[in-house]
Amino acid sequence: MSGIARMRSTVLDCADPQRLGRFYAELVGWEVTGDQDDWVVVSDGGRFPRLAFQKVDDYRPPAWPGAEMPQQFHLDVTVDDLEKAEAQVLTIGATKHEFQPSEEGDFRVFLDPEGHPFCLCLAEDG
């Protein structure tokens, strides 16, 4: 099935694009492929798809699960071992969120260094 367009970038607003770019590069095993003062790109080495981080003056992080500053979106990443992955993301700068809505324990919610929520999701065969 072909769509109207092809996926190019997921862009996150932030205060420090370099810090957030390095965090996500380490999280997903990609590399920083573009680095300017106000714009950093992370990819698997190809041009697209990619993650990008843009500097926003007076950036305010989401306050999930509240509605005053909603998360607007979040990223889910798949891991084979939740315990091991949790220790690793905490080491690279993530924070485990106090609210953990998974009833089956098959995912965990974290905040990246700029406060964006993301989930470590257990691989279905893991």
Side-chain angles (χ1 to χ4, degrees), residues 27 35 46 52 54 66 73-74 106 113 120 123:
L27 177 68
D35 188 348
Q54 68 181 358
F73 79 97
H74 69 273
D106 56 348
L120 296 180

Side-chain angles (χ1 to χ4, degrees), residues 45-113:
R47 286 190 60 196
F48 308 114
R50 63 193 188 171
L51 292 172
F53 310 92
Q54 68 181 358
K55 182 174 179 64
V56 172
D57 293 331
D58 300 323
Y59 168 76
R60 293 185 305 157
W64 180 82
E68 183 177 333
M69 284 295 294
Q71 69 175 334
Q72 299 171 6
F73 79 97
H74 69 273
L75 298 176
D76 288 344
V77 295
T78 300
V79 299
D80 294 321
D81 182 326
L82 279 173
E83 296 299 324
K84 180 178 178 183
E86 177 174 327
Q88 292 172 317
V89 299
L90 294 174
T91 298
I92 64 170
T95 304
K96 189 172 184 179
H97 199 287
E98 63 187 40
F99 180 61
Q100 296 294 322
S102 175
E103 294 179 9
E104 288 81 34
D106 56 348
F107 70 91
R108 294 182 189 159
V109 183
F110 295 85
L111 302 176
D112 70 24

